[in-house]
Amino acid sequence: MKTIAMLEGWTITSVETIENYSREDDTCLSILDEIKNVSLANTEDSADVTGKNGQALFTIKKGKAVTGSGSSGYISGNLMALQTGAEPTEGKIKFRKREIVKFGKDDTSINLSETAVGTEGNEILNLIVTVTDENGDVSTQYEQATAADTSKFAYADNVVTLPTATNGKNGTVEVIYEYEKDGASVGNKSGTYGKTTHTFINCLGTNTCDETYFIQIEVYRCDWNSNFTFELGGDGVEHPFEFKSLVDKCSGEDRFWDFKVYKKSV
């Protein structure tokens, strides 16, 4: 085996990005650029062939495998899509809201902070009016109708018209509804699983002469899985990830990965 000087005598100082591409058409699916840590575990199985007195004569090696893991310093919806096998969407996204609004004796309606969406005439999912009088608090659940009456409320253009039974009274209204915003979404369906990508782990390194090197680890067939946990609350949420490197038999690349390096010019 020939010793190659450029592969010796330096250390990785930072992981710059992890880039994931479609194996079908090289579309860039996600880029992680705030990598907290990443590791590649390389393993193999082996069995000793023994002779007299149990002496090892030689070793049969088989079952090489590569697994990777790490975490991103921020949440990546595109990485979630790789992990769960989902297709991210953007556009009008529904959100749910629970809103508490006070009303007085002179109020016959209340205004919502958002526009409720849904089937016309049934936009409000749930509405409970709590009236406060000399007998204390009395809560009543009401249904939506096209026009308000004693036992029904109406809704149009962010305005809830209260049941007439509440007129002349003080109280609060608990309203539950859905509204839409321009946003993005990624889902975790039970029947979809992690995608396989052509992945590049890009790093910077330096040697004892303070020369800078660019390192790229090319994972030809990176198989993402859905094993990740979000620790919500407290300090900033990290996005952990795990994957396996599979041999790419279809393209003839009988390798788990390639480790490549060059010295950057000043």
Side-chain angles (χ1 to χ4, degrees):
M1 181 184 72
K2 181 173 69 172
T3 299
I4 301 176
M6 189 174 288
L7 292 175
E8 302 294 332
W10 49 267
T11 185
I12 292 177
T13 55
S14 68
V15 180
E16 295 296 292
T17 60
I18 297 179
E19 301 175 359
N20 301 294
Y21 295 88
S22 166
R23 283 170 38 82
E24 297 177 355
D25 59 10
D26 288 312
T27 299
C28 184
L29 301 176
S30 75
I31 299 177
L32 302 176
D33 59 6
E34 290 292 339
I35 308 301
K36 301 275 287 189
N37 58 78
V38 63
S39 64
L40 279 177
N42 302 270
T43 61
E44 69 176 16
D45 298 326
S46 63
D48 290 338
V49 176
T50 59
K52 185 169 58 175
N53 298 323
Q55 184 178 9
L57 301 178
F58 57 89
T59 299
I60 299 175
K61 297 179 180 181
K62 59 183 179 178
K64 291 181 76 172
V66 176
T67 58
S69 62
S71 65
S72 168
Y74 58 77
I75 299 299
S76 169
N78 290 317
L79 176 57
M80 276 192 273
L82 294 182
Q83 293 172 306
T84 62
E87 293 298 330
T89 61
E90 60 181 341
K92 294 294 184 182
I93 306 297
K94 283 185 180 181
F95 297 85
R96 177 167 291 208
K97 187 174 184 66
R98 175 180 177 267
E99 193 166 347
I100 304 294
V101 183
K102 292 182 179 180
F103 66 91
K105 292 181 179 180
D106 296 330
D107 296 325
T108 59
S109 64
I110 60 169
N111 294 311
L112 301 182
S113 60
E114 303 288 350
T115 300
V117 297
T119 304
E120 185 176 357
N122 196 32
E123 296 93 342
I124 305 302
L125 301 176
N126 189 279
L127 185 140
I128 296 175
V129 177
T130 300
V131 173
T132 303
D133 57 22
E134 65 276 5
N135 297 318
D137 293 342
V138 178
S139 297
T140 306
Q141 183 173 342
Y142 293 96
E143 295 182 356
Q144 184 174 342
T146 55
D149 60 22
T150 302
S151 60
K152 301 285 195 305
F153 69 91
Y155 171 79
D157 301 325
N158 291 53
V159 177
V160 174
T161 302
L162 298 172
T164 56
T166 66
N167 294 165
K169 299 177 182 179
N170 297 315
T172 59
V173 183
E174 178 193 85
V175 191
I176 298 172
Y177 61 97
E178 290 184 332
Y179 63 98
E180 288 183 334
K181 294 291 184 181
D182 290 325
S185 173
V186 58
N188 187 6
K189 294 183 178 180
S190 62
T192 61
Y193 300 90
K195 298 178 181 179
T196 303
T197 60
H198 189 184
T199 293
F200 296 83
I201 304 172
N202 299 314
C203 312
L204 292 178
T206 188
N207 64 9
T208 55
C209 298
D210 295 325
E211 296 173 318
T212 300
Y213 287 81
F214 178 80
I215 303 100
Q216 186 171 81
I217 303 172
E218 181 175 4
V219 182
Y220 293 93
R221 194 172 166 215
C222 183
D223 185 20
W224 298 89
N225 66 49
S226 297
N227 299 322
F228 63 99
T229 301
F230 288 146
E231 299 291 344
L232 303 177
D235 296 332
V237 180
E238 296 183 11
H239 190 157
F241 55 82
E242 296 179 1
F243 60 83
K244 290 182 180 179
S245 177
L246 306 177
V247 172
D248 190 6
K249 292 289 188 180
C250 296
S251 67
E253 295 289 352
D254 196 19
R255 298 193 294 275
F256 292 108
W257 47 258
D258 269 339
F259 189 96
K260 300 177 285 188
V261 59
Y262 69 85
K263 186 169 70 173
K264 292 175 67 71
S265 58
V266 178

